[in-house]
Structure formats: structure tokens, C-alpha cells
Amino acid sequence: MTPPPVDSPDLWAGLPTLQEPPPGEDDTAPDVWEDPIPLTGRRERPAFPAHVLPAWLGQFVTAVAQETQTPVDLAGSIALAVLATAAGGRSVVHVRGNWREPTNLYTVVALPPANRKSAVFALLTNPLYEAEKQLKTAMQPVIVEAELTARLAKEAADKAAAKAASADGDKRDEMVATAVGLAQTADTLTVPAEPVLLADDSTPETVTSLMAEQGGRLSVMSAEGGIFDIIAGRYSGAPNMEVFLKGHAGDRLRVNRQTRREYIDAPALTIGLAVQPDVLRDIGKVKGFEGRGLLARFLYSLPVSTVGDRAIITDPVPEQTAAAYTAKVIDLTLSLAEWTDPAVIQLTPEADAALIAYQQRIEPQLKARGGKLGHISNWAGKLAGATARMAALLHLAHHGGNGYAHPVTEDTMRAAIELGEYYTAHALAVFDVMGADPVLSRARSVLEVLRDNGWEDVSRRDVFTVLSRSEVPTVADLEPALALLEDHGYLRSYQPEKTGKRGRPPAPRLQAHPTLRHGGR
């Protein structure tokens, strides 16, 4: 059956009004309007729960926030990325059955300019650069020896090949065999790469190559959001997110091209970023980011800026607190650096029971209809895994590099669950900014249309006609957005009086809040 055209009365007649006046009352809406309730701002965004961190880490995070007069969320989220840099690719957490999670994380904090993001990044990441320097110093003699051995083996193979080429008779076969053996030996000798823990806003190709050189692990840490532009195709012209998808999940990564071949069996990429809020709004619009699950891999933090309320004179981070932080991060990094097969961290039965209970609470919220997390189910579906990863990182932060010798306790798991709840609250706010909730996004579009046209009284048909079909495909898709706007006081719906003619009653109409007709918000 062919649906009626948009301007057909049959399409609009009979639709329920949002607020129909009782029979016998005046059909026109009253002239007095209360201020509308903003569509945003209702999400509660709790402060980062620094108290769940091990004492040495929580004290440092709190002290950095105090000295820099920044939200504790900034230092807290970067601290988790620092732990993931130290442990990622060198440890995994065994949850249950065949379920294992690597211990790398993707974190991003969104704050406006002038929030001292770079200063906080430097304080938190300095020990990683020191650990990287120590790893390079320790590896230098090994690299020199390997380079010399490889060069000598190559020279020996070349000389043997030259002799075999000029040999005669029976000696030729023997010398060819010797040359082949030396060439095969030389080919098996590799020179280890200089250790690299951290990269800045590198291209996907550079990240892949570095990860291949570094045994599968790498960390991208930056106080800017340029990495998103690079993934979106700043240099290539097309999104290239394969390494960022597989690098989070630990899925096997293989690159077969004419210029390079790289194989990473268990990639472990960590990303720690601090960006401006507009960056999150922009990446929500990048084609493919949400559909392929890149946005679902990040733990988001959207703290309230402290600019305007900052103290001018502050206490510096205590030397003892800073020294303990530096020593702990370096020790954890160096103690796990030599692991080729990752250290396996187990859960106690009590910790697993706490995680199961958390999963049972989350699952009903993932329903597409009525679920609190239904519109971000791609993100929330990874929440239990992210929580297990954070539990393992908190565990390693407490025990150090030999954390594999002890199982994760229930208290540590509950601390990770509290972090999971924190990131859930902030993810809801961030995905609002990105427009992940289609009803909220369509409601915003309707507001823009009402402001642009200055309508005082308008039909649903007129609103629907000027909206994009890609965003609002059908009339049914428009109704929830109109209902939301009425709930917030932006619209009133009423049923016009009958004209006296026979046929269907006139379609319900909308009245817009006066501020919308005068450019208000």
C-alpha cells in the first residue's frame, strides 16, 4: 500500500495531541509561559572517586588537582591511563571461563581551554618517560651486541656465498650448503628495537609499526585531541581506525602491503587524552566512528571546569607524595617490561561474584526501549570488561609487578565498579553532547527549526517538512521529540476548533515558547 504524501490530511488527522484541553474548556493555550527547562544539564556528573585508588596514587592525584586547581577527574583519568601504559601488553585479567581482558585502556577527559591540561599531563606522565629512559639504557648494550652479531653473520654469509660461486667440482656443493646455512642463520638474527612506551598524535601506520616493534604494546598520551583528526583521515582522506579498534580489544592485527608486512598477535594500545568539549561534539559526527565501535571503547570524563573559582596560591605536591608516585610507576613499568607472555591476574570468587552482580544490574539497562543505557548500548556493553580491566590495574597498583601472585579481592573489584559507575554517568553526558540519543537530537533540531522560522503557531506537518529525512524519517519519529519539548516547556499542543465542514477534525497544532520567536534559548 502506498503511503499518503506528506501534505495529505490523512497523514496528520487523528494523531494524538500532546496536551488536549478537557472538553468545554478554551482550546487556546494560555498566554503565560514559564521558563523552559534546558534539554541539557540534567545529567549528574559525579566527581572522580579518587578515594578508590591505592593510597600512594590517590594522594598524588588529589595533590596534583590541588596544586594545579584542576578537577580531580583530570589527574584521576590520566592516572588510570598511566597504569595501563605500565601494564598494558604485559598482563591480562582472567575473569571466568575463556573470558580474559587485557589491561590497556582508552580514556579521554574533556575540559575547556585554560584548565592546565598540559601541566597535569606532565606531572602524571613524567615517570613513564623516566622508565622509558631506563629501559633504553638497559637495552643499549643488547642492541649493540645484536647489531654486531647480525652484521658479522651477514658478512660471513656473503663471503661464503662468494666462495661458493667461484668453487669448482665437489667442493662447490659443500660450499653452497655452507653458504645457505650461514645465510639462514643471518636471516634469523634480529636487532631488538629501542624501547618506546609513549607516542604522541601519530598516524595509524606509525602506531602499527611502533606496536609491532614493541612487542604489541604502545601508549598514545596527549593533552590535545589531534589523534581523532588523524584517525578520521586528516592525512589519508579516509578514516583509518583498524589499529585503534584491534589495539583496544587485543584482536590479531596483520598488515600485508607492498611496502610493509607487520603481524601483531595480541596488540595492546593505551590512549590517554585531554581534549576540549567541542572535540567530542565533532567526533560524534565522524562517519564510522560510532558504527564501527571506536567511540564505545573510550572511558569518558566531562568534569565541571574550575576556571573562575581557582585559588591563586596553592600548596605544591608534597615531595614525599611525588617521590612515592614516581617510584611506584617506574617499578611497575620495569617489573612487567620483560614479560613476553603476559602475566595472568586471577579474581577471587568474591570479586567475581561482585562483578556478576554488577553485570546483572547493567543488563536490563541495555534494552533499546526503556533502558537507561539503551541509546549507548555499544558503550555500555563493554562496561563490564572495562571494569575488570580497571580492577586489574588497581590490583597491580597495590601489589606492584608481582600482582599476578595474588588474586583480585572483592574490595578492589568494588572500587573498580565505583569507577565504572563514575564513567557511566559521564558517558551519558558525553553522548548527549554527541547526539547519541536520537530523541534528544531530534528535539534539538526541532528547536533550531522553530528559532530559524520564528513560528508562533505551527502545524506538525510544517515542522516535519523542513526537517531532514535522514534524521527524522517518519512522522512517528517526530512525535517523541515533540513530547520531550512539551515536557520541557518549549511547546504546547492544542486541538483547533472544527471549521463546521464535514470530514475529519483538523490536525493538532503547536504553539512555540515566546523565547524561541526572539532568538532565546
Side-chain angles (χ1 to χ4, degrees):
M1 179 177 177
T2 303
V6 170
D7 59 355
S8 169
D10 290 340
L11 185 63
W12 303 95
L15 279 174
T17 60
L18 302 182
Q19 278 189 351
E20 292 189 13
E25 292 190 8
D26 187 2
D27 288 331
T28 60
D31 294 333
V32 178
W33 292 77
E34 295 182 358
D35 290 339
I37 301 170
L39 291 178
T40 56
R42 285 188 164 187
R43 300 287 189 190
E44 292 187 6
R45 306 199 305 274
F48 185 90
H51 64 273
V52 307
L53 303 175
W56 65 268
L57 186 56
Q59 290 169 6
F60 185 74
V61 162
T62 304
V64 167
Q66 166 61 29
E67 179 179 344
T68 60
Q69 288 293 285
T70 53
V72 70
D73 314 64
L74 178 58
S77 287
I78 298 171
L80 288 178
V82 167
L83 294 178
T85 300
R90 299 298 183 262
S91 62
V92 298
V93 55
H94 177 213
V95 183
R96 70 185 77 99
N98 292 317
W99 181 11
R100 294 188 177 196
E101 289 283 343
T103 53
N104 53 305
L105 291 176
Y106 289 6
T107 68
V108 57
V109 184
L111 277 170
N115 268 277
R116 300 167 179 165
K117 296 187 285 289
S118 296
V120 175
F121 249 89
L123 289 168
L124 269 295
T125 59
N126 280 341
L128 290 175
Y129 286 102
E130 177 58 33
E132 184 181 85
K133 187 186 300 183
Q134 293 186 26
L135 288 172
K136 289 179 178 180
T137 300
M139 183 60 69
Q140 191 59 35
V142 178
I143 293 174
V144 171
E145 181 180 353
E147 287 176 340
L148 179 60
T149 302
R151 187 170 73 248
L152 293 175
K154 179 70 166 54
E155 291 175 354
D158 290 343
K159 289 179 180 178
K163 288 182 179 180
S166 60
D168 296 324
D170 295 339
K171 289 185 178 182
R172 179 182 176 84
D173 292 341
E174 180 181 345
M175 295 180 72
V176 167
T178 300
V180 169
L182 290 172
Q184 290 174 338
T185 299
D187 194 52
T188 61
L189 297 176
T190 58
V191 179
E194 187 177 60
V196 173
L197 293 176
L198 297 142
D200 207 329
D201 292 346
S202 303
T203 66
E205 292 76 16
T206 301
V207 169
T208 303
S209 296
L210 283 172
M211 288 178 66
E213 290 177 355
Q214 301 301 317
R217 72 122 163 221
L218 187 71
S219 179
V220 176
M221 302 278 281
S222 176
E224 303 293 340
I227 188 67
F228 288 121
D229 290 335
I230 294 172
I231 299 172
R234 176 199 293 171
Y235 302 118
S236 62
N240 184 355
M241 61 189 84
E242 198 72 16
V243 65
F244 300 98
L245 297 175
K246 294 186 175 181
H248 180 273
D251 295 336
R252 185 176 288 109
L253 178 62
R254 297 199 169 204
V255 177
N256 290 294
R257 295 179 182 171
Q258 290 183 346
T259 56
R260 62 192 180 103
R261 292 188 178 184
E262 293 162 334
Y263 306 100
I264 309 174
D265 286 334
L269 180 64
T270 288
I271 299 179
L273 304 174
V275 303
Q276 295 183 22
D278 285 349
V279 172
L280 296 183
R281 186 176 294 107
D282 292 341
I283 65 174
K285 300 175 183 177
V286 177
K287 184 178 181 181
F289 272 22
E290 173 61 17
R292 296 199 60 191
L294 180 65
L295 300 182
R297 285 160 165 75
F298 282 88
L299 296 174
Y300 297 96
S301 176
L302 188 64
V304 177
S305 172
T306 58
V307 173
D309 295 310
R310 296 177 294 190
I312 305 304
I313 305 300
T314 61
D315 295 327
V317 176
E319 291 185 8
Q320 186 175 358
T321 300
Y325 173 77
T326 298
K328 292 283 190 179
V329 171
I330 292 175
D331 178 69
L332 179 62
T333 305
L334 298 183
S335 62
L336 290 173
E338 299 302 319
W339 283 77
T340 51
D341 292 330
V344 180
I345 300 167
Q346 305 287 348
L347 305 183
T348 62
E350 295 78 12
D352 188 31
L355 182 59
I356 290 172
Y358 186 43
Q359 290 178 266
Q360 290 171 337
R361 293 204 308 272
I362 295 171
E363 189 61 27
Q365 300 178 39
L366 303 181
K367 292 179 180 179
R369 289 191 174 185
K372 172 186 173 184
L373 306 175
H375 65 292
I376 59 167
S377 59
N378 285 349
W379 183 91
K382 299 181 184 299
L383 180 56
T387 301
R389 296 184 187 204
M390 290 188 288
L393 292 174
L394 295 179
H395 177 78
L396 288 170
H398 179 72
H399 290 282
N402 68 340
Y404 63 90
H406 312 275
V408 175
T409 65
E410 179 182 3
D411 286 344
T412 300
M413 182 60 71
R414 293 197 179 282
I417 289 171
E418 188 167 345
L419 285 170
E421 292 173 339
Y422 162 83
Y423 282 114
T424 298
H426 283 250
L428 285 167
V430 167
F431 279 102
D432 279 352
V433 172
M434 293 182 185
D437 186 342
V439 174
L440 183 60
S441 178
R442 289 165 185 161
R444 289 197 181 108
S445 295
V446 172
L447 284 182
E448 291 179 7
V449 164
L450 294 172
R451 291 190 186 103
D452 291 345
N453 289 276
W455 284 321
E456 178 180 0
D457 188 291
V458 64
S459 68
R460 283 171 167 78
R461 178 183 63 187
D462 289 338
V463 174
F464 178 74
T465 300
V466 298
L467 290 169
S468 166
R469 291 292 79 77
S470 62
E471 182 179 16
V472 188
T474 68
V475 177
D477 295 315
L478 176 62
E479 286 302 313
L482 296 178
L484 179 63
L485 290 174
E486 182 164 17
D487 287 343
H488 283 250
Y490 287 101
L491 291 177
R492 288 173 180 165
S493 180
Y494 71 97
Q495 183 68 47
E497 294 182 2
K498 292 185 178 181
T499 61
K501 297 180 180 180
R502 303 178 66 180
R504 294 180 181 271
R509 295 182 64 83
L510 306 167
Q511 285 190 329
H513 195 284
T515 58
L516 298 178
R517 305 195 296 275
H518 301 96
R521 293 278 168 184

